[in-house]
PDB file of all heavy atoms in Angstrom:
ATOM      1  N   VAL A   3       1.793   5.430   0.281  1.00  0.00           N
ATOM      2  CA  VAL A   3       1.493   6.471   1.259  1.00  0.00           C
ATOM      3  C   VAL A   3       0.185   7.162   0.902  1.00  0.00           C
ATOM      4  O   VAL A   3      -0.651   7.446   1.764  1.00  0.00           O
ATOM      5  CB  VAL A   3       2.658   7.488   1.344  1.00  0.00           C
ATOM      6  CG1 VAL A   3       2.301   8.656   2.242  1.00  0.00           C
ATOM      7  CG2 VAL A   3       3.925   6.819   1.820  1.00  0.00           C
ATOM      8  N   THR A   6      -2.749   4.984   1.849  1.00  0.00           N
ATOM      9  CA  THR A   6      -2.895   4.979   3.307  1.00  0.00           C
ATOM     10  C   THR A   6      -3.565   6.261   3.776  1.00  0.00           C
ATOM     11  O   THR A   6      -4.472   6.232   4.606  1.00  0.00           O
ATOM     12  CB  THR A   6      -1.528   4.816   3.994  1.00  0.00           C
ATOM     13  OG1 THR A   6      -0.923   3.603   3.556  1.00  0.00           O
ATOM     14  CG2 THR A   6      -1.664   4.802   5.498  1.00  0.00           C
ATOM     15  N   LEU A   7      -3.123   7.400   3.249  1.00  0.00           N
ATOM     16  CA  LEU A   7      -3.701   8.671   3.662  1.00  0.00           C
ATOM     17  C   LEU A   7      -5.178   8.780   3.270  1.00  0.00           C
ATOM     18  O   LEU A   7      -5.986   9.325   4.017  1.00  0.00           O
ATOM     19  CB  LEU A   7      -2.898   9.835   3.094  1.00  0.00           C
ATOM     20  CG  LEU A   7      -1.500  10.018   3.684  1.00  0.00           C
ATOM     21  CD1 LEU A   7      -0.769  11.155   2.993  1.00  0.00           C
ATOM     22  CD2 LEU A   7      -1.559  10.244   5.179  1.00  0.00           C
ATOM     23  N   ILE A  10      -7.251   6.712   5.798  1.00  0.00           N
ATOM     24  CA  ILE A  10      -7.432   7.271   7.138  1.00  0.00           C
ATOM     25  C   ILE A  10      -8.028   8.668   7.112  1.00  0.00           C
ATOM     26  O   ILE A  10      -8.203   9.288   8.160  1.00  0.00           O
ATOM     27  CB  ILE A  10      -6.100   7.290   7.912  1.00  0.00           C
ATOM     28  CG1 ILE A  10      -5.105   8.203   7.233  1.00  0.00           C
ATOM     29  CG2 ILE A  10      -5.576   5.901   8.121  1.00  0.00           C
ATOM     30  CD1 ILE A  10      -4.003   8.650   8.126  1.00  0.00           C
ATOM     31  N   ILE A  14      -9.651  10.870  10.468  1.00  0.00           N
ATOM     32  CA  ILE A  14      -8.939  12.097  10.809  1.00  0.00           C
ATOM     33  C   ILE A  14      -9.858  13.310  10.674  1.00  0.00           C
ATOM     34  O   ILE A  14      -9.849  14.203  11.514  1.00  0.00           O
ATOM     35  CB  ILE A  14      -7.652  12.241   9.973  1.00  0.00           C
ATOM     36  CG1 ILE A  14      -6.622  11.245  10.499  1.00  0.00           C
ATOM     37  CG2 ILE A  14      -7.110  13.657  10.023  1.00  0.00           C
ATOM     38  CD1 ILE A  14      -5.278  11.286   9.844  1.00  0.00           C
ATOM     39  N   TRP A 120      -7.817   2.809  14.438  1.00  0.00           N
ATOM     40  CA  TRP A 120      -8.123   2.814  13.013  1.00  0.00           C
ATOM     41  C   TRP A 120      -6.894   3.249  12.217  1.00  0.00           C
ATOM     42  O   TRP A 120      -6.572   2.659  11.185  1.00  0.00           O
ATOM     43  CB  TRP A 120      -9.278   3.767  12.765  1.00  0.00           C
ATOM     44  CG  TRP A 120     -10.003   3.649  11.458  1.00  0.00           C
ATOM     45  CD1 TRP A 120      -9.528   3.199  10.259  1.00  0.00           C
ATOM     46  CD2 TRP A 120     -11.355   4.002  11.226  1.00  0.00           C
ATOM     47  NE1 TRP A 120     -10.491   3.266   9.300  1.00  0.00           N
ATOM     48  CE2 TRP A 120     -11.630   3.756   9.870  1.00  0.00           C
ATOM     49  CE3 TRP A 120     -12.362   4.529  12.017  1.00  0.00           C
ATOM     50  CZ2 TRP A 120     -12.870   4.019   9.296  1.00  0.00           C
ATOM     51  CZ3 TRP A 120     -13.594   4.774  11.446  1.00  0.00           C
ATOM     52  CH2 TRP A 120     -13.837   4.517  10.104  1.00  0.00           C
ATOM     53  N   CYS A 121      -6.199   4.269  12.714  1.00  0.00           N
ATOM     54  CA  CYS A 121      -4.984   4.730  12.035  1.00  0.00           C
ATOM     55  C   CYS A 121      -3.897   3.658  12.051  1.00  0.00           C
ATOM     56  O   CYS A 121      -3.194   3.468  11.056  1.00  0.00           O
ATOM     57  CB  CYS A 121      -4.474   6.018  12.683  1.00  0.00           C
ATOM     58  SG  CYS A 121      -5.491   7.458  12.361  1.00  0.00           S
ATOM     59  N   ILE A 122      -3.748   2.966  13.173  1.00  0.00           N
ATOM     60  CA  ILE A 122      -2.739   1.905  13.264  1.00  0.00           C
ATOM     61  C   ILE A 122      -3.064   0.775  12.296  1.00  0.00           C
ATOM     62  O   ILE A 122      -2.196   0.279  11.578  1.00  0.00           O
ATOM     63  CB  ILE A 122      -2.635   1.370  14.709  1.00  0.00           C
ATOM     64  CG1 ILE A 122      -1.938   2.387  15.593  1.00  0.00           C
ATOM     65  CG2 ILE A 122      -1.888   0.037  14.755  1.00  0.00           C
ATOM     66  CD1 ILE A 122      -1.957   2.038  17.067  1.00  0.00           C
ATOM     67  N   SER A 124      -4.840   0.885   9.623  1.00  0.00           N
ATOM     68  CA  SER A 124      -4.889   1.314   8.226  1.00  0.00           C
ATOM     69  C   SER A 124      -3.521   1.647   7.641  1.00  0.00           C
ATOM     70  O   SER A 124      -3.410   1.889   6.449  1.00  0.00           O
ATOM     71  CB  SER A 124      -5.790   2.539   8.092  1.00  0.00           C
ATOM     72  OG  SER A 124      -7.094   2.230   8.508  1.00  0.00           O
ATOM     73  N   SER A 125      -2.505   1.698   8.470  1.00  0.00           N
ATOM     74  CA  SER A 125      -1.190   2.069   7.963  1.00  0.00           C
ATOM     75  C   SER A 125      -0.210   0.920   8.127  1.00  0.00           C
ATOM     76  O   SER A 125      -0.381   0.047   8.972  1.00  0.00           O
ATOM     77  CB  SER A 125      -0.673   3.305   8.712  1.00  0.00           C
ATOM     78  OG  SER A 125      -0.548   3.028  10.083  1.00  0.00           O
ATOM     79  N   GLU A 126       0.803   0.974   7.294  1.00  0.00           N
ATOM     80  CA  GLU A 126       1.882  -0.006   7.408  1.00  0.00           C
ATOM     81  C   GLU A 126       2.935   0.542   8.360  1.00  0.00           C
ATOM     82  O   GLU A 126       2.933   1.728   8.700  1.00  0.00           O
ATOM     83  CB  GLU A 126       2.477  -0.255   6.023  1.00  0.00           C
ATOM     84  CG  GLU A 126       1.481  -0.882   5.058  1.00  0.00           C
ATOM     85  CD  GLU A 126       2.058  -1.034   3.657  1.00  0.00           C
ATOM     86  OE1 GLU A 126       3.227  -0.658   3.435  1.00  0.00           O
ATOM     87  OE2 GLU A 126       1.330  -1.527   2.793  1.00  0.00           O
ATOM     88  N   ASN A 129       4.750   3.657   7.263  1.00  0.00           N
ATOM     89  CA  ASN A 129       3.967   4.889   7.141  1.00  0.00           C
ATOM     90  C   ASN A 129       3.376   5.353   8.478  1.00  0.00           C
ATOM     91  O   ASN A 129       2.781   6.417   8.540  1.00  0.00           O
ATOM     92  CB  ASN A 129       2.797   4.683   6.172  1.00  0.00           C
ATOM     93  CG  ASN A 129       3.241   4.326   4.785  1.00  0.00           C
ATOM     94  OD1 ASN A 129       4.371   4.573   4.406  1.00  0.00           O
ATOM     95  ND2 ASN A 129       2.351   3.736   4.018  1.00  0.00           N
ATOM     96  N   ARG A 130       3.505   4.569   9.512  1.00  0.00           N
ATOM     97  CA  ARG A 130       2.814   4.844  10.772  1.00  0.00           C
ATOM     98  C   ARG A 130       3.223   6.183  11.396  1.00  0.00           C
ATOM     99  O   ARG A 130       2.395   6.912  11.917  1.00  0.00           O
ATOM    100  CB  ARG A 130       3.052   3.712  11.752  1.00  0.00           C
ATOM    101  CG  ARG A 130       1.892   3.509  12.676  1.00  0.00           C
ATOM    102  CD  ARG A 130       1.928   2.179  13.345  1.00  0.00           C
ATOM    103  NE  ARG A 130       1.360   1.181  12.453  1.00  0.00           N
ATOM    104  CZ  ARG A 130       1.621  -0.109  12.523  1.00  0.00           C
ATOM    105  NH1 ARG A 130       2.438  -0.565  13.434  1.00  0.00           N
ATOM    106  NH2 ARG A 130       1.062  -0.949  11.679  1.00  0.00           N
ATOM    107  N   GLY A 131       4.465   6.510  11.349  1.00  0.00           N
ATOM    108  CA  GLY A 131       4.921   7.788  11.895  1.00  0.00           C
ATOM    109  C   GLY A 131       4.317   8.963  11.154  1.00  0.00           C
ATOM    110  O   GLY A 131       3.899   9.953  11.761  1.00  0.00           O
ATOM    111  N   LEU A 132       4.240   8.857   9.829  1.00  0.00           N
ATOM    112  CA  LEU A 132       3.624   9.907   9.020  1.00  0.00           C
ATOM    113  C   LEU A 132       2.139  10.038   9.347  1.00  0.00           C
ATOM    114  O   LEU A 132       1.625  11.144   9.501  1.00  0.00           O
ATOM    115  CB  LEU A 132       3.809   9.599   7.530  1.00  0.00           C
ATOM    116  CG  LEU A 132       3.113  10.540   6.554  1.00  0.00           C
ATOM    117  CD1 LEU A 132       3.745  11.921   6.617  1.00  0.00           C
ATOM    118  CD2 LEU A 132       3.176   9.977   5.148  1.00  0.00           C
ATOM    119  N   VAL A 133       1.468   8.911   9.484  1.00  0.00           N
ATOM    120  CA  VAL A 133       0.041   8.919   9.780  1.00  0.00           C
ATOM    121  C   VAL A 133      -0.225   9.575  11.129  1.00  0.00           C
ATOM    122  O   VAL A 133      -1.095  10.443  11.263  1.00  0.00           O
ATOM    123  CB  VAL A 133      -0.535   7.482   9.736  1.00  0.00           C
ATOM    124  CG1 VAL A 133      -1.932   7.425  10.320  1.00  0.00           C
ATOM    125  CG2 VAL A 133      -0.534   6.956   8.310  1.00  0.00           C
ATOM    126  N   PHE A 134       0.538   9.196  12.149  1.00  0.00           N
ATOM    127  CA  PHE A 134       0.301   9.759  13.466  1.00  0.00           C
ATOM    128  C   PHE A 134       0.742  11.214  13.565  1.00  0.00           C
ATOM    129  O   PHE A 134       0.150  11.992  14.310  1.00  0.00           O
ATOM    130  CB  PHE A 134       0.949   8.914  14.559  1.00  0.00           C
ATOM    131  CG  PHE A 134       0.047   7.802  14.984  1.00  0.00           C
ATOM    132  CD1 PHE A 134       0.234   6.531  14.499  1.00  0.00           C
ATOM    133  CD2 PHE A 134      -1.011   8.035  15.840  1.00  0.00           C
ATOM    134  CE1 PHE A 134      -0.611   5.496  14.867  1.00  0.00           C
ATOM    135  CE2 PHE A 134      -1.864   7.020  16.214  1.00  0.00           C
ATOM    136  CZ  PHE A 134      -1.667   5.744  15.732  1.00  0.00           C
ATOM    137  N   SER A 135       1.755  11.595  12.829  1.00  0.00           N
ATOM    138  CA  SER A 135       2.137  13.009  12.837  1.00  0.00           C
ATOM    139  C   SER A 135       1.043  13.855  12.188  1.00  0.00           C
ATOM    140  O   SER A 135       0.716  14.939  12.674  1.00  0.00           O
ATOM    141  CB  SER A 135       3.477  13.222  12.134  1.00  0.00           C
ATOM    142  OG  SER A 135       3.385  12.901  10.764  1.00  0.00           O
ATOM    143  N   LEU A 136       0.439  13.354  11.119  1.00  0.00           N
ATOM    144  CA  LEU A 136      -0.673  14.057  10.482  1.00  0.00           C
ATOM    145  C   LEU A 136      -1.867  14.128  11.431  1.00  0.00           C
ATOM    146  O   LEU A 136      -2.492  15.176  11.595  1.00  0.00           O
ATOM    147  CB  LEU A 136      -1.075  13.354   9.183  1.00  0.00           C
ATOM    148  CG  LEU A 136      -2.295  13.914   8.466  1.00  0.00           C
ATOM    149  CD1 LEU A 136      -2.015  15.324   7.982  1.00  0.00           C
ATOM    150  CD2 LEU A 136      -2.688  13.025   7.311  1.00  0.00           C
ATOM    151  N   TYR A 137      -2.167  13.013  12.076  1.00  0.00           N
ATOM    152  CA  TYR A 137      -3.281  12.955  13.025  1.00  0.00           C
ATOM    153  C   TYR A 137      -3.101  13.961  14.158  1.00  0.00           C
ATOM    154  O   TYR A 137      -4.010  14.726  14.488  1.00  0.00           O
ATOM    155  CB  TYR A 137      -3.396  11.526  13.575  1.00  0.00           C
ATOM    156  CG  TYR A 137      -4.215  11.381  14.821  1.00  0.00           C
ATOM    157  CD1 TYR A 137      -5.600  11.491  14.785  1.00  0.00           C
ATOM    158  CD2 TYR A 137      -3.608  11.137  16.044  1.00  0.00           C
ATOM    159  CE1 TYR A 137      -6.351  11.357  15.937  1.00  0.00           C
ATOM    160  CE2 TYR A 137      -4.354  10.994  17.195  1.00  0.00           C
ATOM    161  CZ  TYR A 137      -5.724  11.109  17.136  1.00  0.00           C
ATOM    162  OH  TYR A 137      -6.463  10.983  18.274  1.00  0.00           O
ATOM    163  N   LEU A 138      -1.915  13.996  14.771  1.00  0.00           N
ATOM    164  CA  LEU A 138      -1.672  14.908  15.884  1.00  0.00           C
ATOM    165  C   LEU A 138      -1.610  16.363  15.430  1.00  0.00           C
ATOM    166  O   LEU A 138      -2.058  17.265  16.151  1.00  0.00           O
ATOM    167  CB  LEU A 138      -0.399  14.517  16.632  1.00  0.00           C
ATOM    168  CG  LEU A 138      -0.532  13.234  17.435  1.00  0.00           C
ATOM    169  CD1 LEU A 138       0.812  12.826  18.021  1.00  0.00           C
ATOM    170  CD2 LEU A 138      -1.563  13.389  18.544  1.00  0.00           C
TER     171      LEU A 138
END
Side-chain angles (χ1 to χ4, degrees):
V3 174
T6 302
L7 291 177
I10 64 160
I14 287 183
W120 197 332
C121 289
I122 287 172
S124 299
S125 61
E126 296 176 0
N129 299 340
R130 211 163 277 157
L132 175 67
V133 168
F134 274 100
S135 65
L136 175 65
Y137 164 73
L138 289 174

